[in-house]
Amino acid sequence: MKDDQAQQLKFAYWVPNVSGSLVVSKIEQRTDWSYEYNVRLEQTAEQNGFEYALTQIRFTIGYGAENQHESVSFSHALLAKTEKLKVIAAILPGPWKPALAAKQLATIDHLTQGRIAVNIVSGWFRGEFDAIGEIWPEHDERYVRSEEFIRALKEIWTTDQYSFKGKYYQFENYTLKPKPLQQPHIEVFQGGSSRAARDMAARVSDWYFTNGNSVNELVKQISDLRTKAALNGHQIKVGVNAFIIARDTEEEAQAVLQEIIEQADIQTVQAFGKATREGGAASREGEGNWAKSTFEDLVQYNDGFKTNLIGTPQQIAERIIELKNAGVDLILSGFLHFIEEIEYFGEKVLPLVRELEVEQQHVVSAKSA
């Protein structure tokens, strides 16, 4: 049973600790950024089979994010209200230094019995960095900085008398006590779709988040990532972003999608698209996050519609298994009305996913017998 559970696809959800929800649309969204709403949401998610939640990091208003709760403290507050869920706190190198992050997260790890993780966000929004007086390295340099950050975290959490002289960070015989409870260390996630992002993940990260995409495109990304990781003697797990619209009929689900797009906040989506060109086209190969996103894709600002988890529970469950077969280990989920739709997902979709996983495992076992 434990082996079967270890092979099960994992599910996470975006924590709405930032106002504006996950679609840049004027459609009604019964999702709220308040702490009270988020506590009800995380408890609902935990009860419906979700294992991770990802908090967002923003410092400035814009693109619907007029209000933002800080990610690390908010993650800790959510963990205090659950028993099993692991919360992934987003951290941005620049505002954070690795010594501070390592100590914050190690403390939270002790206070929550090993349920904190971290997502290192290399940065995509120059205006945010300018507003708070942080330097803005060019695209690939941001990943150089993030890699130093991640290496520093892992060494601080696992060794004593740590010394390092990097381009961005320096340490001299530093020892952190107490170390985190999690072994070998707190899980480290990172995002990105560019070559630089994949190369960094293949060297240092435990998990790699990528924007939503088709199965065929994900196969290409994951193959490149894991080939490079193997050459480095490294193992990496993959999470993909998906905006899920599960309804009793395909027609209902598609109607919701069209209504979201038809009611898109055009000016906000266009402004967001302009800002994200720095995140995609600025990579050397011009294929980072959002480099090829259309207006419709940007209405869900991490390309979640592209993953196509839109339809009936059966259709979505079958597409989730296709993603798993492509090499995906985790679905990072967004919803229009979070609490109700996570309940529906847990009741209608997730049992079908688990049934299909068992069926597939039986087929594999029979072939190898």
Side-chain angles (χ1 to χ4, degrees):
M1 177 64 73
K2 288 185 178 180
D3 287 342
D4 289 343
Q5 290 177 342
Q7 294 174 10
Q8 287 182 343
L9 196 69
K10 298 184 183 300
F11 292 88
Y13 74 91
W14 283 97
V15 174
N17 59 302
V18 171
S19 65
S21 300
L22 292 185
V23 289
V24 188
S25 175
K26 297 174 183 177
I27 190 173
E28 179 196 7
Q29 299 180 62
R30 295 189 295 275
T31 293
D32 186 61
W33 63 282
S34 70
Y35 177 61
E36 293 75 18
Y37 179 90
N38 272 283
V39 168
R40 289 192 292 121
L41 172 57
E42 65 159 349
Q43 292 172 347
T44 300
E46 186 174 71
Q47 293 162 7
N48 282 275
F50 283 74
E51 296 175 72
Y52 291 90
L54 173 65
T55 54
Q56 304 172 60
I57 181 61
R58 287 289 300 275
F59 279 92
T60 60
I61 65 172
Y63 317 121
E66 304 308 306
N67 297 286
Q68 320 100 26
H69 288 301
E70 188 276 318
S71 56
V72 177
S73 53
F74 202 76
S75 296
H76 185 201
L78 292 179
L79 286 163
K81 300 293 185 178
T82 50
E83 297 177 357
K84 298 179 294 183
L85 195 73
K86 182 175 280 191
V87 181
I88 311 162
I91 281 181
L92 193 59
W96 271 273
K97 301 297 185 284
L100 172 61
K103 197 167 187 68
Q104 277 183 306
L105 295 165
T107 295
I108 295 173
D109 202 54
H110 278 265
L111 295 174
T112 62
Q113 293 74 53
R115 292 190 294 123
I116 190 69
V118 63
N119 181 39
I120 303 302
V121 180
S122 295
W124 60 268
F125 182 20
R126 177 168 187 163
E128 187 170 49
F129 278 67
D130 290 343
I132 61 175
E134 289 288 341
I135 64 168
W136 178 252
E138 60 89 13
H139 182 276
D140 285 14
E141 272 297 304
R142 296 200 294 279
Y143 286 97
V144 172
R145 178 168 67 176
S146 291
E147 182 165 343
E148 285 192 10
F149 197 104
I150 292 170
R151 289 185 184 277
L153 287 181
K154 290 188 172 184
E155 290 296 322
I156 291 168
W157 286 333
T158 58
T159 65
D160 293 337
Q161 301 297 309
Y162 174 54
S163 294
F164 175 72
K165 296 190 184 301
K167 182 173 182 179
Y168 293 97
Y169 306 110
Q170 295 79 40
F171 291 86
E172 187 68 35
N173 296 325
Y174 177 59
T175 298
L176 171 70
K177 291 294 179 73
K179 301 282 194 267
L181 293 177
Q182 293 183 68
Q183 297 296 320
H185 50 70
I186 293 167
E187 287 183 295
V188 177
F189 292 70
Q190 68 148 104
S193 296
S194 66
R195 175 201 47 77
R198 291 197 299 275
D199 288 356
M200 182 181 87
R203 290 188 292 265
V204 296
S205 299
D206 304 313
W207 286 87
Y208 169 74
F209 278 138
T210 186
N211 271 9
N213 220 324
S214 67
V215 170
N216 288 341
E217 289 301 315
L218 287 169
V219 166
K220 295 176 187 176
Q221 281 190 42
I222 295 169
S223 176
D224 177 65
L225 174 69
R226 290 202 164 125
T227 297
K228 290 173 177 175
L231 292 174
N232 295 323
H234 185 60
Q235 292 186 327
I236 183 84
K237 295 178 181 178
V238 176
V240 65
N241 184 64
F243 193 83
I244 300 175
I245 305 176
R247 298 294 187 271
D248 291 342
T249 68
E250 184 177 10
E251 291 75 18
E252 288 178 273
Q254 289 296 328
V256 172
L257 173 62
Q258 291 308 310
E259 188 178 0
I260 291 171
I261 294 172
E262 287 170 3
Q263 296 196 45
D265 185 331
I266 295 173
Q267 289 184 331
T268 300
V269 174
Q270 289 176 339
F272 174 68
K274 182 178 179 181
T276 58
R277 297 301 174 233
E278 174 66 25
S283 63
R284 291 181 184 177
E285 72 282 13
E287 293 186 5
N289 280 350
W290 306 291
K292 296 181 179 179
S293 299
T294 66
F295 176 89
E296 288 76 12
D297 295 329
L298 291 171
V299 173
Q300 201 295 301
Y301 49 76
N302 287 97
D303 289 340
F305 299 151
K306 286 185 180 181
T307 314
N308 196 28
L309 298 189
I310 299 166
T312 66
Q314 186 67 39
Q315 288 173 322
I316 291 173
E318 290 173 357
R319 290 168 190 164
I320 286 172
I321 295 301
E322 290 177 5
L323 292 168
K324 182 178 181 180
N325 292 339
V328 170
D329 301 287
L330 178 147
I331 307 294
L332 176 57
S333 312
F335 301 89
L336 187 62
H337 310 304
F338 264 81
I339 291 178
E340 313 82 306
E341 296 194 33
I342 278 181
E343 287 178 332
Y344 184 92
F345 184 89
E347 179 184 350
K348 301 288 188 179
V349 181
L350 190 55
L352 296 176
V353 173
R354 299 308 183 209
E355 288 175 12
L356 291 171
E357 286 180 315
V358 171
E359 290 176 11
Q360 191 170 74
Q361 187 60 40
H362 286 165
V363 171
V364 171
S365 298
K367 288 182 178 179
S368 60

